[in-house]
Amino acid sequence: MGSSRAADFPDERPNGLGDEQRPLDDELIGLDPDDPETKAFAEHLERMRREQPAFTVEGYLAGVEDFADSVNRAGGLRRLSAVVIVLLILLGVAVSVWFGLGEILSTFFD
């Protein structure tokens, strides 16, 4: 005979398992929870499910954090291309600041 409590609270886990084990329980049934590849895939699923605030400073910073984490996990040509992208962005910022400072200084000393 089934429990009516199970239908009322489907998110509760038996055996006291918390939120940390949910991706392993729900998505990776039958896989070894101690396997490093299984843990990595569970972390990937968690990143895919995470909803970030859009158009806020926190959302942009979370996007930069995700990019940095993915670059740290990458290797070879992908890592090199990510480093080149970051260097191009920093070069663009440096050029913008240089021209901005030039305009400010030419206004004061012209």
Side-chain angles (χ1 to χ4, degrees):
M1 182 173 203
S3 170
S4 63
R5 181 169 157 71
D8 293 336
F9 303 99
D11 290 337
E12 288 186 3
R13 297 286 185 247
N15 303 329
L17 295 176
D19 289 338
E20 183 177 311
Q21 293 294 327
R22 284 187 184 179
L24 293 175
D25 289 344
D26 294 341
E27 301 292 335
L28 306 172
I29 295 173
L31 297 176
D32 181 18
D34 296 325
D35 183 25
E37 290 181 5
T38 305
K39 289 181 181 180
F41 188 63
E43 290 172 3
H44 168 73
L45 289 176
E46 183 63 31
R47 284 191 302 272
M48 296 303 291
R49 286 187 182 147
R50 192 177 337 149
E51 292 187 24
Q52 315 248 338
F55 305 111
T56 62
V57 174
E58 292 86 5
Y60 291 131
L61 291 178
V64 170
E65 179 185 8
D66 289 341
F67 178 75
D69 289 340
S70 66
V71 168
N72 287 333
R73 286 190 308 271
L77 188 58
R78 285 187 182 197
R79 184 178 181 97
L80 179 64
S81 62
V83 169
V84 168
I85 288 171
V86 169
L87 289 176
L88 288 173
I89 290 171
L90 291 175
L91 178 66
V93 169
V95 168
S96 298
V97 168
W98 179 261
F99 284 123
L101 285 176
E103 286 292 321
I104 291 171
L105 292 176
S106 68
T107 302
F108 286 128
F109 297 113
D110 202 23

